[in-house]
């Protein structure tokens, strides 16, 4: 509905590099999603869209370098992702949303110089990816998603001075990705 339309306008403007104009439709999408969710809090689709709207408002703040403003939106996105997964523990899409939520909070912590908090979040994100990849080992998107997660882990380990751990994470990426190019 309207929330989706606002979200698409925001995504279009963001894609054109227009962060300021993107913020307004994303905030409108958030208001619409909140209103919709309040009409039926048990509706998973409404909760999912609410989480997406929170993410996008936070993302624009993040892209503008406003980490303080981004955080509550990323925290809400995390909370809604957890709630969705609690409702449907076997839903892979909801599990991946939680993975993205951890990754966002890791990136936020990293940007603030909180390397250990960043690492903890990146590890949780990567672990979810690994679990999902085990369910569907041929899913190339998941392979790359997991590889990306491992690169965040590797970088964060480097930041805290765990060079051996960092090396292991990057070595694991090669192990994951090489077979794809050898096919």
């Amino acid at each position: 509905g309207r929330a989706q339309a606002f979200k698409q306008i925001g995504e279009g403007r963001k894609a054109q590099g227009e962060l300021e104009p993107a913020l307004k439709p994303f905030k409108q999408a958030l208001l619409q999603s909140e209103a919709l969710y309040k009409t039926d809090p048990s509706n998973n689709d409404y909760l999912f869209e609410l989480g997406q709207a929170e993410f996008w408002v936070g993302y624009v703040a993040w892209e503008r370098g406003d980490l303080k403003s981004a955080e509550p939106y990323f925290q809400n996105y995390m909370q809604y992702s957890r709630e969705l997964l609690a409702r449907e523990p076997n839903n892979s899409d909801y599990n991946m949303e939680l993975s993205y939520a951890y990754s966002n909070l890791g990136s936020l912590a990293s940007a603030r110089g909180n390397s250990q908090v960043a690492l903890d979040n990146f590890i949780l994100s990567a672990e979810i990816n690994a679990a999902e990849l085990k369910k569907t080992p041929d899913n190339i998107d998941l392979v790359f998603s997991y590889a990306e997660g491992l690169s965040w882990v590797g970088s964060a380990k480097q930041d805290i001075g765990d060079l051996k751990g960092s090396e292991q994470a990057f070595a694991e990426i090669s192990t994951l990705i090489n077979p794809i190019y050898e096919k």
Side-chain angles (χ1 to χ4, degrees):
R2 289 179 67 190
Q4 199 69 29
F6 284 127
K7 193 175 100 175
Q8 285 169 340
I9 292 167
E11 285 180 21
R13 290 182 181 161
K14 189 194 82 52
Q16 294 163 356
E18 299 175 26
L19 290 176
E20 282 300 324
L23 189 59
K24 193 174 179 190
F26 282 142
K27 282 194 166 169
Q28 287 170 318
L30 180 55
L31 289 172
Q32 292 287 329
S33 297
E34 282 171 344
L36 208 53
Y37 172 70
K38 282 178 185 161
T39 65
D40 183 7
S42 66
N43 184 313
N44 289 354
D45 292 336
Y46 293 171
L47 183 56
F48 178 82
E49 284 306 321
L50 179 55
Q52 296 298 299
E54 292 278 1
F55 165 77
W56 282 110
V57 174
Y59 182 79
V60 171
W62 157 266
E63 283 284 310
R64 292 163 66 200
D66 186 354
L67 307 183
K68 191 175 177 165
S69 295
E71 185 165 23
Y73 295 107
F74 282 175
Q75 291 286 0
N76 287 343
Y77 172 55
M78 163 69 80
Q79 183 188 328
Y80 299 143
S81 298
R82 279 193 173 131
E83 172 66 25
L84 282 167
L85 196 58
R87 292 178 184 190
E88 285 188 29
N90 298 321
N91 186 314
S92 291
D93 292 336
Y94 295 164
N95 207 17
M96 287 306 293
E97 288 300 319
L98 186 58
S99 169
Y100 305 145
Y102 280 125
S103 187
N104 293 338
L105 291 174
S107 296
L108 202 59
S110 182
R112 288 183 158 158
N114 299 339
S115 301
Q116 188 59 55
V117 173
L119 177 59
D120 294 344
N121 279 290
F122 291 142
I123 287 172
L124 289 166
S125 176
E127 284 173 349
I128 292 171
N129 267 280
E132 288 302 321
L133 187 57
K134 270 196 181 108
K135 291 184 201 171
T136 54
D138 293 335
N139 184 326
I140 298 294
D141 290 339
L142 277 178
V143 171
F144 282 106
S145 181
Y146 182 39
E148 184 183 15
L150 285 171
S151 78
W152 287 109
V153 169
S155 297
K157 284 190 175 191
Q158 197 169 1
D159 290 344
I160 65 163
D162 178 3
L163 301 185
K164 191 172 170 63
S166 177
E167 242 173 66
Q168 286 171 332
F170 288 112
E172 199 173 334
I173 294 170
S174 298
T175 307
L176 264 175
I177 301 234
N178 287 342
I180 294 170
Y181 296 109
E182 288 164 6
K183 284 181 181 173

